[in-house]
Amino acid sequence: MHRSDTYVDIAALPPCVECLRVAELLADPDTAPPLHRRPPPPDFASGFTGDAIRIALRTDIATGALLGQQAAVHLLTFTALPDQPGFGDLVRILDLLWDDDEIVRMGQVTDWSAVVGFAATADVPDRDRRMIAVAASLAGGPPVDLGAAASFADDPAAARRVVEAVAIATGHGDRWKLTEPPATSAHT
């Protein structure tokens, strides 16, 4: 802004750090400091821990994934499958630029059929294999008979997780809260 009583001589201002770096780069490209670039995100979650994979998958869900994906991740993160070596190769990593240049790292399962195949050979309980089959079906992967979901009746934690996943997949995940019944006493 020009005022009659004050002005700033731009040529007299000291150069910024980035201007100096560019000047060095132009003068001698071999000795100039490197560009300030973010390292590219990994393509897949290979080498991530199981907990890091779970966090990346849940972050994607929080940013607005489809209901079937949300339900499938709800089941997948309950299993031991993310802890298995090689599972990270099935989870694509995406970086989302958020406010104030903050990077939010997300993970997405891109091939649920491959996850079902991986679970079939992984060192996980049979319950986890059945849950993964239901998860893949909810996410639009290979269909599974819902009778498989009924097979969790002897495992209350797994049965609860499946019921929650079905509520999520049908758009009612935010409307229902499952509560545990009070423990029965020997006197009742």
Side-chain angles (χ1 to χ4, degrees):
M1 177 181 279
H2 176 63
R3 293 182 182 170
S4 60
D5 58 340
T6 61
Y7 70 95
V8 174
D9 182 6
I10 294 175
L13 292 175
C16 69
V17 174
E18 188 64 14
C19 293
L20 291 172
R21 190 194 59 72
V22 170
E24 288 178 34
L25 179 62
L26 293 173
D28 187 6
D30 295 330
T31 62
L35 294 174
H36 300 283
R37 292 187 181 163
R38 289 187 183 101
D43 290 333
F44 290 91
S46 306
F48 283 33
T49 65
D51 288 338
I53 291 171
R54 287 179 183 92
I55 290 168
L57 291 168
R58 288 182 186 128
T59 302
D60 180 53
I61 297 308
T63 61
L66 298 173
L67 293 176
Q69 285 289 108
Q70 291 180 27
V73 167
H74 187 71
L75 290 176
L76 171 63
T77 57
F78 183 71
T79 70
L81 202 60
D83 301 313
Q84 299 301 304
F87 179 75
D89 296 339
L90 301 174
V91 179
R92 178 168 299 283
I93 295 298
L94 305 163
D95 280 353
L96 176 65
L97 184 61
W98 208 254
D99 293 336
D100 300 326
D101 289 335
E102 181 182 348
I103 298 294
V104 177
R105 180 153 288 169
M106 303 179 303
Q108 293 179 347
V109 172
T110 57
D111 184 354
W112 283 95
S113 297
V115 172
V116 171
F118 184 87
T121 61
D123 184 23
V124 294
D126 186 52
R127 172 199 81 165
D128 288 1
R129 287 186 190 89
R130 291 181 287 142
M131 288 186 82
I132 292 301
V134 173
S137 182
L138 291 171
V144 67
D145 181 9
L146 283 182
S151 67
F152 296 109
D154 60 338
D155 184 345
R160 176 189 179 111
R161 198 70 171 201
V162 170
V163 169
E164 290 169 348
V166 170
I168 291 167
T170 58
H172 299 289
D174 60 342
R175 295 185 191 120
W176 297 94
K177 180 177 180 182
L178 298 177
T179 57
E180 298 292 330
T184 58
S185 69
H187 302 291
T188 57

